[in-house]
Amino acid sequence: MPDAPLRTSPLDAAHRALDAKMVPFGGWDMPLQYPGGTIVEHKACRHGAVAFDVSHLGTVRVTGPDALDALQAALTNDLTKVGPGRAQYTHLLDPDDASVLDDIIGWWRSPEVFDVMPNASNTSRVTGALGVGTDVTAERAVIAVQGPEARERLAAVSPEAASVARFAVATVDWRGTDIVVAGTGYTGEDGVECAVPADEAPAFWQAVLDAGCGAGGPRARDTLRLEAALPLHGHELGPGILAAGPPRMGRGVAQGRLPRPRRPRGRARDRSGGSSTAWRPQGADRRAEQAVLLDGAEAGVITSGNFSPELGHGIALAFLPPGLDPGTELGIDVRSSIEPARIVATPFIPKR
């Protein structure tokens, strides 16, 4: 059976006009990076402001008087701890082994309206598992404006959008159009994500760029999330990952001498099931990922790794036994060469 055609963002033409490198990405044709390159985009987000098109992430709208009860029964976190007008990070679990089917951001827009934001290729899975909700992904674009100067730059476009607090959710007017804004993101920086009706999205995107934000792609978004030690679906989270029980616990591993990862072949992927920049052998399953050695014996595996543009050396997340303290010396099996590494506290860069 032929592959399903790739979906395109409402911003597809805008990305092509910027000469973005377009790649298959979680079932979508998305901009992997722009001509300046990943490191430029990464540093612009860490020290300025960048706009990311994350329209490939799903939106499942759950409405009505029973919406809260349905989500409370399906998701791990207690929504009543936040209330309407707030966003919450949560998980949808596999009923058989309690592994994470998907990690989700829930936007509680009003007392009976929720926007559940799954990872790209998981939208139909989440809708089916919830048993409620309507997939409205095609109706909007989602633009994440991130960085220490994100709010200042966005204020020139929409002061109301720029003022939405961290993990708050609000509907604001922009040139006569309602946009939904949440104080969320996936970079370790301050910022907001804006759900804009599809037909108005190109104008909003251009206004954000004109206000001084750079454009960033998924490759930079992945190196940013790794420096912030945020989990990635399909690497640190996903079906079956907890199958081995409690001893598999995530810990940070700083890698002082590991080489930069080779450019991967094949499709680039995002939170929906892997990353174009993740340090993972091509075509390998999780058991074949790079081994982490403790006192010469295999003790775990790297789940995500890359070169850190901020720190100037390699970093990684790994599954390791519990009880290992920061400073513990390790070895990483890199193409049959054992390279030194050590455990550090996460995140790898200071919280902003």
Side-chain angles (χ1 to χ4, degrees):
M1 181 178 294
D3 292 339
L6 294 174
R7 300 178 68 176
T8 57
S9 162
L11 302 175
D12 182 77
H15 299 315
R16 295 178 188 279
L18 292 173
D19 199 24
K21 180 179 181 179
M22 306 297 291
V23 296
F25 194 85
W28 292 66
D29 199 17
M30 295 296 287
L32 181 65
Q33 65 181 38
Y34 297 86
T38 298
I39 291 180
V40 169
E41 295 166 20
H42 179 111
K43 287 186 171 292
C45 185
R46 281 281 178 257
H47 303 284
V50 167
F52 298 91
D53 180 7
V54 294
S55 303
H56 58 289
L57 301 180
T59 298
V60 178
R61 185 156 298 150
V62 184
T63 63
D66 299 325
L68 175 59
D69 288 342
L71 295 178
Q72 287 286 79
L75 304 176
T76 58
N77 284 340
D78 183 359
L79 279 160
T80 64
K81 290 185 176 180
V82 295
R86 300 289 295 173
Q88 185 185 67
Y89 179 70
T90 188
H91 303 87
L92 178 67
L93 301 185
D94 188 312
D96 295 326
D97 65 3
S99 62
V100 178
L101 289 176
D102 202 13
D103 59 325
I104 289 166
I105 295 287
W107 295 4
W108 195 345
R109 295 179 50 186
S110 64
E112 295 186 0
V113 179
F114 298 81
D115 281 352
V116 176
M117 313 286 282
N119 291 290
S121 61
N122 283 340
T123 303
S124 59
R125 171 191 286 173
V126 169
T127 304
L130 292 175
V132 294
T134 303
D135 182 356
V136 297
T137 304
E139 297 178 8
R140 87 299 179 263
V142 180
I143 298 168
V145 186
Q146 303 281 294
E149 297 178 3
R151 294 180 184 276
E152 177 184 350
R153 307 286 176 87
L154 184 59
V157 179
S158 170
E160 295 82 5
S163 67
V164 174
R166 182 169 175 77
F167 280 96
V169 180
T171 300
V172 305
D173 176 81
W174 182 71
R175 299 182 184 177
T177 298
D178 283 345
I179 63 175
V180 184
V181 182
T184 53
Y186 193 55
T187 64
E189 295 293 339
D190 189 22
V192 299
E193 295 178 311
C194 305
V196 185
D199 56 349
E200 295 293 334
F204 186 84
W205 169 265
Q206 188 59 53
V208 170
L209 298 190
D210 290 345
C213 292
R219 183 170 279 171
R221 192 163 167 262
D222 185 63
T223 54
L224 290 158
R225 73 91 193 170
L226 181 59
E227 287 185 343
L230 299 174
L232 177 68
H233 188 270
H235 285 229
E236 289 74 44
L237 301 170
I241 286 182
L242 293 182
R248 297 189 71 181
M249 298 183 68
R251 298 293 298 270
V253 182
Q255 305 174 2
R257 292 175 54 189
L258 289 182
R260 300 190 189 199
R262 293 171 295 178
R263 179 172 295 177
R265 295 185 294 270
R267 293 185 176 183
R269 295 173 291 168
D270 72 331
R271 293 194 321 170
S272 63
S275 162
S276 62
T277 52
W279 217 326
R280 185 175 188 176
Q282 294 302 301
D285 64 16
R286 184 169 301 282
R287 290 178 301 239
E289 291 175 351
Q290 285 178 308
V292 182
L293 307 180
L294 177 64
D295 296 328
E298 184 172 340
V301 292
I302 287 178
T303 54
S304 295
N306 213 317
F307 177 80
S308 164
E310 287 296 293
L311 299 177
H313 58 70
I315 58 174
L317 297 174
F319 286 135
L320 294 172
L324 299 181
D325 295 323
T328 301
E329 299 293 331
L330 302 169
I332 309 294
D333 188 347
V334 182
R335 296 186 290 278
S336 300
S337 174
I338 307 304
E339 299 290 347
R342 62 185 173 88
I343 294 176
V344 298
T346 54
F348 295 106
I349 61 170
K351 289 185 177 181
R352 307 290 182 168

